[in-house]
Amino acid sequence: MKKRTQPSIRESRQILALAIPILIAELSQAAMGFVDTLMAARYSAEDLAAVALGSGIWLPVVISLGGLLMAVTPMVANHAGSDQLRRTRLIFHQAVLIALIAGVSAWLILRNMAPVLDLMQVSGSLKEKTLGYLDALSWGVPGMILYQAARSYSEGLGKTQPLMKIGLLALLCNIPLNYLLIYGKLGFPELGGVGCGWATTIVMWIMALSAGCYLHYSRHFRRLKLITLPWPRTKYFFSILKIGVPIGVTLLIEVSMFTMIALLIARLGENVIASHQITLSFTGMVFMVPLSIAMALTIRIGQCIGRRDLVAAQTTAITGYAIVCCCSVIACSLIALLSVQIATLYSNEDEIIQLASSLLLIAAIFQIPDAIQVASAGILRGHKDTGVPLLIVFTSYWLIGLPLGYMLGLTDLLVPALGAKGFWLGMIAGLSVGATLLLLRYQNIKRRCDIPAHS
């Protein structure tokens, strides 16, 4: 008779020990975006618009290309679990080569965005400032993608605290650099929003160099001699791409859906746009909790698979689901109870507060399927299963969530048009389908990996 796998207190501690530093690192990067927005806004409305437009372009590029390197985490975790650390060195070197190629590609893309801005009907000084911001930032993107390679490698070995410290260092550097380059202090040129781009570039290279120094000098990695000239090894190079390309495309699908929603509701007026952005901003911060747990699950399960301990992998998965479900229920309850207070943090206009609080009530329900789907994705990445999850995400977001949101939000086909609420209801439906299908996919993977357990 087979013993049922149960959540484990000991395993929950291991997961949280990995997840909490990842969460702090993610919050640090989010805080950098908040600082950029705040300091650009204080300089001028046009410079804020340039930074916002530029961010809407460069973030999807970097997130999707950086997603390629997320394949490194489960691959390294597998070899670490099987005590084959020397092979992780080969994986890291191929990751660096991929990061260099992706970084140069991103540099070229971001420096040729004028036709995109023309299509968006952005012109005059706003176009000039947006292009200046993107040009400045393009020099830092290769550093950011190299940092992602180092981060994914370190996380694969379960070393998440140093990356947390690098994230905090980046935030501490970002604030004074923005001050100096946006406002032109201490003899530096006054560059406005473009200065924000240069500050971000400097911070990106600080992160990359800090991560490189850590991998080179840390006692954990010194003997591996990671910081050497990487030579191509086609086996590992294409193994990373086989797992990483679906991850990158998945992230692009997720980001592009929210971009599309923002464009579709633009016709509904400034208050609706502001309310939607408030809801998206706050729930995005909350989402970092299950995201960090999912990344920890990838590490733990990858290590379990590497040492062929499939029972431990199942224990990690069920414990991870238990943690994210608890967190999502708490988040759902707090957002529902405090929706008005949350909206008041962002605005003092009654109409915006009312609209935003009504969207937050819907977004509260959104937390539960969102947490389950991101946890499932993290577990499946630990099993190096990324192709089918890509198809599931595409189906749930672009074939269910977005079309249903459009019908509910902007047409009278199903009910009288609900505006932004319709899109959030569509996202709940799409995410619920996605979460269910990813759960079923994990069950299928688990059945294939199942081994007899003693009763």
Side-chain angles (χ1 to χ4, degrees):
M1 185 178 176
K2 190 182 290 186
K3 185 191 293 183
R4 288 177 63 86
T5 306
Q6 298 290 337
S8 162
I9 297 296
R10 181 175 177 275
E11 183 60 32
S12 66
R13 289 173 183 157
Q14 298 278 359
I15 293 169
L16 292 173
L18 292 170
I20 290 171
I22 293 173
L23 174 61
I24 295 171
E26 292 290 330
L27 289 172
S28 298
Q29 291 196 29
M32 284 173 55
F34 174 76
V35 168
D36 288 351
T37 301
L38 183 65
M39 298 184 81
R42 290 183 179 274
Y43 187 80
S44 80
E46 188 172 62
D47 284 84
L48 171 61
V51 170
L53 274 172
S55 297
I57 292 170
W58 78 264
L59 278 172
V61 172
V62 172
I63 288 170
S64 55
L65 290 176
L68 299 175
L69 282 310
M70 291 177 71
V72 172
T73 300
M75 292 177 70
V76 168
N78 276 186
H79 288 304
S82 58
D83 203 23
Q84 296 176 323
L85 288 180
R86 289 290 172 186
R87 291 191 180 181
T88 68
R89 181 174 181 266
L90 297 174
I91 294 171
F92 176 71
H93 284 168
Q94 301 318 296
V96 169
L97 288 175
I98 292 170
L100 290 171
I101 294 168
V104 172
S105 301
W107 180 83
L108 288 170
I109 291 168
L110 295 178
R111 297 184 71 81
N112 291 278
M113 280 291 120
V116 174
L117 293 180
D118 289 337
L119 284 173
M120 296 170 67
Q121 298 182 337
V122 178
S123 60
S125 60
L126 177 57
K127 177 183 176 182
E128 184 181 340
K129 288 182 177 182
T130 304
L131 289 175
Y133 171 76
L134 289 171
D135 285 349
L137 195 134
S138 68
W139 292 100
V141 166
M144 188 65 188
I145 298 177
L146 282 168
Y147 167 75
Q148 182 62 54
R151 173 180 172 170
S152 294
Y153 178 82
S154 182
E155 287 177 349
L157 293 176
K159 307 297 180 186
T160 58
Q161 288 196 4
L163 285 307
M164 171 191 75
K165 295 173 183 176
I166 291 172
L168 292 171
L169 171 66
L171 176 60
L172 291 175
C173 292
N174 188 55
I175 296 170
L177 283 169
N178 266 333
Y179 180 71
L180 294 174
L181 294 172
I182 292 174
Y183 301 106
K185 303 296 182 180
L186 299 180
F188 285 88
E190 184 179 343
L191 299 174
V194 175
C196 186
W198 283 113
T200 304
T201 282
I202 295 168
V203 168
M204 285 176 173
W205 281 108
I206 288 172
M207 294 172 75
L209 293 172
S210 299
C213 288
Y214 166 65
L215 294 181
H216 186 64
Y217 293 109
S218 167
R219 61 184 177 85
H220 299 294
F221 302 109
R222 193 183 303 142
R223 62 191 173 90
L224 293 174
K225 294 182 170 54
L226 293 168
I227 310 301
T228 57
L229 186 66
W231 290 99
R233 297 289 187 96
T234 54
K235 175 186 174 183
Y236 292 103
F237 187 91
F238 288 107
S239 292
I240 293 172
L241 291 180
K242 183 180 178 182
I243 300 169
V245 168
I247 296 175
V249 176
T250 299
L251 295 175
L252 182 60
I253 287 169
E254 292 174 357
V255 172
S256 61
M257 186 192 74
F258 287 104
T259 302
M260 180 60 69
I261 290 172
L263 292 174
L264 289 171
I265 66 169
R267 69 185 77 172
L268 301 178
E270 292 180 359
N271 287 347
V272 173
I273 296 169
S275 302
H276 172 74
Q277 188 57 40
I278 287 169
T279 308
L280 198 58
S281 173
F282 186 80
T283 55
M285 296 288 283
V286 174
F287 174 71
M288 290 180 186
V289 175
L291 174 64
S292 302
I293 294 166
M295 293 169 77
L297 292 174
T298 299
I299 298 165
R300 291 291 295 166
I301 288 175
Q303 292 173 349
C304 292
I305 298 298
R307 62 176 181 266
R308 301 185 184 281
D309 191 346
L310 301 179
V311 172
Q314 291 177 18
T315 301
T316 297
I318 197 70
T319 304
Y321 279 125
I323 293 171
V324 296
C325 284
C326 289
C327 290
S328 63
V329 168
I330 292 168
C332 175
S333 302
L334 290 176
I335 293 171
L337 288 171
L338 302 173
S339 59
V340 175
Q341 289 84 346
I342 293 166
T344 305
L345 291 174
Y346 289 85
S347 177
N348 55 10
E349 294 187 26
D350 290 340
E351 186 177 349
I352 292 176
I353 291 171
Q354 184 179 353
L355 282 169
S357 61
S358 66
L359 291 180
L360 283 163
L361 285 172
I362 300 171
I365 304 167
F366 178 89
Q367 301 308 304
I368 296 171
D370 202 19
I372 293 171
Q373 70 90 19
V374 75
S376 298
I379 290 166
L380 291 170
R381 284 171 192 167
H383 286 275
K384 295 194 285 191
D385 180 48
T386 58
V388 173
L390 164 61
L391 296 176
I392 290 172
V393 168
F394 175 75
T395 301
S396 59
Y397 278 42
W398 279 89
L399 300 184
I400 298 173
L402 188 59
L404 181 59
Y406 180 85
M407 285 190 285
L408 291 172
L410 299 180
T411 76
D412 297 329
L413 291 173
L414 300 176
V415 294
L418 298 172
K421 290 180 184 178
F423 283 99
W424 281 91
L425 290 169
M427 283 193 283
I428 290 173
L431 271 175
S432 299
V433 171
T436 303
L437 292 176
L438 287 170
L439 268 172
L440 292 173
R441 176 62 180 174
Y442 169 62
Q443 290 299 320
N444 184 46
I445 294 285
K446 190 177 82 165
R447 276 195 298 272
R448 287 191 303 186
C449 294
D450 252 342
I451 59 174
H454 297 294
S455 57

